[in-house]
Amino acid sequence: MAGLRLIYVVIDGVGDLPIDELGGKTPLEAADTPNMDFLAEAGKTGLMYTVGRGIAPESDVAVISILGYDPFKYHTGRGPLEAYGSGITMKDGDLALRCNFATAGPGWRIIDRRVGRSLTTEEASELAEAINENVRLESHPADFIFKNTMGHRGVLVIKGRGIRLSSNITNTDPAYEQVGGLGVVRVGARMVLRRCTPKDDSEASKRAADLINEFIEKSHEILEKHEVNRRRVAEGKLSANIILTRDAGDRVPKFFNICDRYGVRFACLADMPVERGIAKLAGMHLIDIPPPTRGIEADCRLRVDRLIEALPHYDCFYIHLKGPDEPGHDGDFRRKMEVIALIDEHFFGRLLSEIDLRDYIFCVTADHSTPCKLKAHSDDPVPVLISGDKVSADGTTTFSEKECRGGELGVLERGVELMPILMNYLKREL
């Protein structure tokens, strides 16, 4: 395809709710965002329920949906996506789960689901190595691979020796549950480690639950006495002494190839394993980028550089920026506002200075809202803008939840509606 290209930017968790201290504005409304405002003013806006009304989705479910895959049809659990994005192979009948290093106190009370976000990837690697070397599963014939990914995050794959395992089991992470096969937030959940239980009477589910509980108990023993955690406690930091599991899957999803479906060459810039796993399974080319750092300015500039380098070689680009989600989970609305402004300046500002908007279709949206009041994902709709070549303006002046509500795109009831709209705009020039 010659000429026109799609730049599709998903800002993780950027949506929010009005905050009294910000004069009733959301962090997005209150942030200085002249470049996203420019895109909104030049194009059309609206709101979007990324999965559907009443669903507070996890990122994997939402990303699948806004890339055009019905999650109720294609989703097989976050675990396989994390595994695939982390380079771990699995076959049908294996079990994959998303994991968190966390801090547990007496009575298995979860003090912090993310170890205060202070666990370094290097520390997590040492802990993961100790678990892989010292834990042996004995409740059923099975082996496992536990891999830390970034910071407190990890993935667990259990492979039965001559036996199948089923993902029809409960999470041990108290903050999330599965509803209709999709991972959703448990609002107001009691923060206590949950025992994994089978959801049916099959041997495959019972085996899976037994193995998960055994893994958590045995890995806890290793983590409690590990030198990394002893050192952290001596330094006044939280101990990464428990593994939480969620969103099990026992097969890799079979997505249609997005390039073949739409007749385009699609590339992805994303740094988290789950988004990379989704993009890879969708048939996108993965552009290598390093993990994010605390330096948002440098991270944004590097991503713009990689995008500019790749522009001549592909037609469509899916870019996932993690930034605002973490301060949303932490309830830090001022930091969230700051992060949004930095992304606007150093990603969008720099990118727009390097390209001619008339050569592109630009879409900016989010995978979900992460309201600071809730410190969790919510079911609120997210703002969406479409701008660029021959996209007429609808009178929107800023990119925000409130302003986009009146845009010509209206309210998209499901995220799967967005990709066909973008392809229609893109292919007007074919």
Side-chain angles (χ1 to χ4, degrees):
M1 186 174 73
L4 205 59
R5 287 175 168 78
L6 170 67
I7 296 178
Y8 182 14
V9 185
V10 176
I11 310 175
D12 202 310
V14 75
D16 213 298
L17 296 171
I19 293 170
D20 291 341
E21 292 89 337
L22 297 179
K25 294 182 178 181
T26 68
L28 178 59
E29 281 184 283
D32 184 22
T33 56
N35 297 293
M36 285 188 278
D37 292 346
F38 164 76
L39 290 170
E41 189 171 10
K44 298 186 185 302
T45 65
L47 294 177
M48 173 175 63
Y49 291 93
T50 58
V51 176
R53 288 181 186 259
I55 297 173
E58 290 196 56
S59 288
D60 61 315
V61 177
V63 168
I64 287 171
S65 182
I66 63 178
L67 288 178
Y69 301 92
D70 183 346
F72 296 97
K73 176 180 179 182
Y74 288 98
H75 189 257
T76 62
R78 182 165 182 164
L81 300 172
E82 295 272 358
Y84 202 74
S86 302
I88 303 175
T89 58
M90 64 174 289
K91 65 180 188 300
D92 289 357
D94 293 342
L95 190 70
L97 305 99
R98 161 66 195 267
C99 299
N100 272 22
F101 284 98
T103 304
W108 299 112
R109 182 174 67 88
I110 304 303
I111 297 170
D112 195 297
R113 291 184 55 259
R114 306 177 184 88
V115 202
R117 293 198 191 279
S118 64
L119 186 69
T120 67
T121 299
E122 291 72 24
E123 288 175 323
S125 295
E126 285 189 56
L127 296 174
E129 182 179 1
I131 290 171
N132 284 308
E133 287 182 355
N134 295 288
V135 172
R136 295 292 177 269
L137 297 177
E138 300 171 305
S139 56
H140 301 281
D143 302 303
F144 73 89
I145 301 169
F146 177 70
K147 184 174 183 178
N148 66 296
T149 53
M150 291 186 192
H152 59 271
R153 304 168 184 88
V155 59
L156 171 66
V157 176
I158 301 179
K159 299 171 177 282
R161 297 197 296 269
I163 58 173
R164 292 181 66 89
L165 303 173
S166 169
S167 61
N168 200 23
I169 55 177
T170 60
N171 294 340
T172 64
D173 187 334
Y176 293 92
E177 62 184 336
Q178 290 188 313
V179 177
L182 304 182
V184 298
V185 177
R186 296 180 71 222
V187 179
R190 183 167 171 260
M191 286 294 107
V192 176
L193 178 72
R194 304 171 75 195
R195 188 165 181 81
C196 185
T197 58
K199 292 182 179 180
D200 58 39
D201 293 330
S202 71
E203 286 302 315
S205 295
K206 293 176 182 176
R207 287 192 291 257
D210 289 344
L211 288 164
I212 293 299
N213 291 324
E214 181 185 7
F215 172 82
I216 290 173
E217 291 166 7
K218 289 185 173 179
S219 62
H220 172 67
E221 295 174 6
I222 300 299
L223 294 172
E224 276 279 76
K225 59 188 179 184
H226 196 280
E227 179 58 32
V228 164
N229 280 324
R230 289 182 178 178
R231 184 171 63 245
R232 288 179 58 83
V233 171
E235 294 171 352
K237 299 176 182 177
L238 292 173
S239 173
N241 64 356
I242 198 76
I243 303 294
L244 303 179
T245 63
R246 71 179 195 260
D247 302 332
D250 55 27
R251 56 193 172 90
V252 176
K254 295 176 174 59
F255 297 152
F256 60 77
N257 186 293
I258 198 169
C259 300
D260 293 343
R261 171 65 61 93
Y262 297 113
V264 296
R265 298 167 297 170
F266 228 118
C268 166
L269 283 92
D271 41 46
M272 303 302 287
V274 66
E275 284 89 25
R276 290 178 64 82
I278 291 168
K280 190 175 179 182
L281 287 165
M284 296 184 192
H285 171 79
L286 292 182
I287 298 172
D288 287 330
I289 51 176
T293 67
R294 292 294 178 185
I296 293 177
E297 177 179 348
D299 287 348
C300 286
R301 286 180 172 273
L302 183 145
R303 280 147 182 76
V304 171
D305 288 344
R306 294 289 170 86
L307 177 58
I308 295 294
E309 291 170 5
L311 283 178
H313 307 294
Y314 301 95
D315 309 307
C316 301
F317 299 86
Y318 158 55
I319 301 119
H320 196 104
L321 303 177
K322 185 70 176 171
D325 187 55
E326 289 193 358
H329 280 289
D330 295 339
D332 189 344
F333 62 85
R334 297 196 188 280
R335 176 58 180 166
K336 184 171 182 177
M337 184 173 67
E338 179 185 6
V339 168
I340 292 169
L342 288 170
I343 289 173
D344 184 83
E345 178 181 0
H346 298 294
F347 183 83
F348 289 101
R350 185 149 188 265
L351 180 57
L352 288 171
S353 72
E354 296 282 343
I355 66 172
D356 187 336
L357 188 58
R358 292 172 296 183
D359 296 331
Y360 296 88
I361 297 296
F362 239 105
C363 179
V364 183
T365 189
D367 48 355
H368 52 76
S369 288
T370 310
C372 293
K373 290 179 180 178
L374 301 179
K375 298 184 180 182
H377 300 182
S378 74
D379 61 356
D380 297 287
V382 299
V384 56
L385 71 82
I386 302 174
S387 191
D389 178 77
K390 295 185 177 64
V391 179
S392 58
D394 64 5
T396 303
T397 57
T398 60
F399 184 60
S400 70
E401 301 89 344
K402 183 178 179 180
E403 185 79 7
C404 289
R405 184 174 295 278
E408 283 188 16
L409 294 176
V411 178
L412 304 184
E413 293 292 336
R414 298 187 64 202
V416 291
E417 299 173 35
L418 181 58
M419 186 59 74
I421 293 172
L422 297 178
M423 288 298 149
N424 284 336
Y425 274 110
L426 186 67
K427 294 194 174 188
R428 287 179 181 179
E429 295 297 312
L430 283 177

